[in-house]
Amino acid sequence: EAKEVAWLWQPYLANGMLGILSGDPGAGKTYIVLAIAAAVTTGHVPCTGEHRERADVLYLSVENSPEHVVRPRFDSLGGNAGRFHILRGSVVGNGKKAERGSVRLSDVQLLRDALQQTKARLVIVDPIQSYLGAEVDAHRSNETRPVMDGLSRLAEEFGCCILLVRHLSKAPTGKAIHRGLG
């Protein structure tokens, strides 16, 4: 049965679906996604400033320091820090000592728990390559497809948009659309 798309930001980011932002290294991908996050947390449509319902954002990044890069940039963009949640890792323990574990996109239960706690309408993974895990070869669709399928199901289940940030290869030839890593 056909249904209308529920948009987080029409026509770019749809609720219940995955989105992807690809760009060359140093092109400002993190700044762009933080500007989108700031707009969503303050109840504005990115770029236009039109009013919309405020929403929470769940942000995953290991490339940028939360204290020195992410939070200062987010604040400079006027975001509502009370609605901005950074998932830095998981807690694992052996019964005696708890330690911080890494986050992998294949860990659907960890992401489900984070979405239940934060009620985030936007999840940003910056960049996706940092969260695939060592066991997933980004260039093999039979290894990445189950991860993407799990994310897609989560987006649909929670009615949120999951925005994946992807680096482009440094190869100077060819169209940018064909240079995405993985």
Side-chain angles (χ1 to χ4, degrees), residues 9-10 12 39 44-51:
W9 176 23
Q10 188 173 357
Y12 306 106
H44 295 94
V45 176
C47 297
T48 69
E50 295 173 59
H51 289 285

Side-chain angles (χ1 to χ4, degrees), residues 89-146:
S90 60
V91 177
V92 294
N94 59 9
K96 297 178 183 178
K97 181 180 174 186
E99 295 178 1
R100 183 178 297 208
S102 62
V103 176
R104 288 186 321 247
L105 295 178
S106 59
D107 191 348
V108 174
Q109 189 58 50
L110 176 86
L111 297 171
R112 179 177 280 115
D113 291 345
L115 281 165
Q116 287 174 336
Q117 289 177 16
T118 64
K119 310 279 189 269
R121 306 296 296 151
L122 175 62
V123 178
I124 298 170
V125 182
D126 182 13
I128 186 173
Q129 289 91 343
S130 294
Y131 293 94
L132 290 175
E135 68 280 0
V136 176
D137 181 346
H139 299 286
R140 299 179 62 93
S141 63
N142 65 319
E143 293 181 20
T144 58
R145 179 54 44 202

Side-chain angles (χ1 to χ4, degrees), residues 5-74:
V5 174
W7 293 99
L8 180 74
W9 176 23
Q10 188 173 357
Y12 306 106
L13 301 175
N15 289 318
M17 298 184 196
L18 304 180
I20 192 160
L21 173 68
S22 301
D24 286 318
K29 296 176 299 297
T30 296
Y31 188 85
I32 290 169
V33 296
L34 288 174
I36 294 168
V40 168
T41 64
T42 58
H44 295 94
V45 176
C47 297
T48 69
E50 295 173 59
H51 289 285
R52 54 157 280 129
E53 184 180 337
R54 287 182 294 191
D56 286 39
V57 174
L58 180 62
Y59 186 75
L60 288 73
S61 180
V62 293
E63 282 193 355
N64 298 298
S65 164
E67 302 87 1
H68 300 104
V69 178
V70 175
R71 180 64 191 271
R73 282 186 188 173
F74 180 78

Side-chain angles (χ1 to χ4, degrees), residues 20-24 27 29 164-168 176-177 179-181:
I20 192 160
L21 173 68
S22 301
D24 286 318
K29 296 176 299 297
L164 307 168
V165 177
R166 178 175 71 162
H167 295 302
L168 295 178
I177 196 167
R179 290 181 33 226
L181 293 178

Side-chain angles (χ1 to χ4, degrees), residues 67-90:
E67 302 87 1
H68 300 104
V69 178
V70 175
R71 180 64 191 271
R73 282 186 188 173
F74 180 78
D75 290 346
S76 75
L77 292 161
N80 178 343
R83 292 185 169 272
F84 187 67
H85 312 279
I86 299 175
L87 181 59
R88 295 185 71 180
S90 60

